[in-house]
Amino acid sequence: MQEPQFQDRYEGGRVLADHLRRHAGQPGPLVLALPRGGVPVAAEVARELGVPLDVFLVRKLGTPGHEELAMGAIASGGVRVLNREVVDELNIGREQLEATTRRESQELQRREQRYREGRPPPDVRGRTVILVDDGLATGTTMRAAVAALRIQGPAAIIVAVPVAPEETCESLGQVADEVVCVRTPEPFYSVGLWYRDFAQTEDDEVRALLAQAAREQQAPDAPQPSA
C-alpha cells in the first residue's frame, strides 16, 4: 500500500501550484474552488500564483424518489444544467423539475451568502478559470461544474486537483480545456486516503480563507507570486 501523498489540503495546494506556475502573475486567470474541501487547496494555489480566489458552488438536482440519481445540477451564477436523457427517460414533469430546482437553489444561495459575505460573484467571461478541488473520485461534481461554468463564457477552463484516478482525469479532459492531476495513484480507493490529515473543512474555515484572499487582492502591496 502506498503512503499518503500530502500532509493536508494546504500542502496539496502548494504542490498543485507548482504545476500551474505558468499562470503566475498573469492578468486574466481566476481560481475557483469547489467547497468545501477544495477551498484550502485553492487558497494556496491562488496565493502562490498571485491571482484572485473565489468559490463555485454546485448542487446536484436529485431525481424525485431516487435522489442519488442526478437529473441535472445548478451552480453559482444562476446556471442550470439538465441531463435530458434522465429527464426524458423518467418522464420528469416541469413541476417536479422546478420544485427541485427551487429547493436546491435556496440551499445554494444560503451557502453563497455565507461564504461570500456580500462580495459579488466574479465575472468569468473571457477569463481563464482554474477549477480546484481536493481530489476527484468519479469526477461527477467537477463535470457538472465545468458544464455550468462553460455557459458563462470563460476563455478556458482548467481542472486542477492534487490527486485523482487516471481514468477520471482522462474523462474530464473531454469537457475541460486542460486537466492537471498531480498524482494518479493506482489503485486509487478514495481521495482521503492520500492525505495524512483529511479532516472535514468547516464553513468558518471557508469563510476565513475567502475573506483573507479578498483582503490580499485589495491590498496595494499584495504579495507577488513565488518564483
Side-chain angles (χ1 to χ4, degrees):
M1 185 64 191
Q2 298 183 54
E3 292 294 320
Q5 303 288 305
F6 309 105
Q7 175 61 37
D8 54 20
R9 292 180 177 89
Y10 293 94
E11 183 186 27
R14 290 190 292 273
V15 175
L16 180 58
D18 286 338
H19 291 256
L20 296 162
R21 192 65 65 185
R22 66 189 179 282
H23 299 289
Q26 299 298 313
L30 168 69
V31 173
L32 293 183
L34 299 190
R36 289 179 291 192
V39 177
V41 181
E44 291 298 313
V45 172
R47 182 178 296 112
E48 289 288 321
L49 300 186
V51 301
L53 169 70
D54 212 308
V55 289
F56 193 74
L57 279 81
V58 179
R59 295 287 297 176
K60 179 179 72 175
L61 299 178
T63 303
H66 304 277
E67 299 298 330
E68 73 284 353
L69 177 62
M71 60 180 176
I74 57 172
S76 295
V79 175
R80 183 173 75 175
V81 177
L82 297 180
N83 186 330
R84 282 295 176 186
E85 291 184 3
V86 172
V87 171
D88 294 341
E89 182 177 342
L90 298 182
N91 196 28
I92 297 170
R94 180 181 177 85
E95 290 186 4
Q96 287 181 307
L97 182 58
E98 295 302 328
T100 302
T101 299
R102 283 194 299 271
R103 183 178 67 251
E104 295 300 336
S105 293
Q106 290 173 354
E107 176 61 18
L108 187 145
Q109 290 171 8
R110 184 192 71 80
R111 294 192 182 195
E112 290 263 16
Q113 292 170 359
R114 180 171 178 78
Y115 294 160
R116 287 209 172 90
E117 299 182 308
R119 297 183 298 272
D123 184 355
V124 304
R125 287 174 295 180
R127 303 183 70 175
T128 295
V129 177
I130 304 173
L131 272 177
V132 175
D133 205 349
D134 53 14
L136 303 171
T138 64
T140 301
T141 300
M142 183 63 79
R143 183 176 287 267
V146 171
L149 187 62
R150 186 74 73 185
I151 296 173
Q152 299 186 31
I157 299 174
I158 301 171
V159 169
V161 295
V163 63
E166 185 172 357
E167 59 269 24
T168 299
C169 298
E170 292 175 352
S171 174
L172 281 165
Q174 299 172 9
V175 296
D177 297 288
E178 181 183 348
V179 179
V180 177
C181 298
V182 177
R183 303 281 189 269
T184 54
E186 179 64 36
F188 183 77
Y189 297 120
S190 69
V191 173
L193 189 66
W194 306 105
Y195 290 87
R196 290 184 178 85
D197 179 358
F198 198 65
Q200 180 171 300
T201 303
E202 301 293 344
D203 280 351
D204 286 346
E205 184 178 1
V206 171
R207 294 170 63 193
L209 288 169
L210 293 174
Q212 178 182 352
R215 289 193 299 270
E216 290 176 353
Q217 287 299 317
Q218 293 171 359
D221 55 348
Q224 296 300 308
S226 302

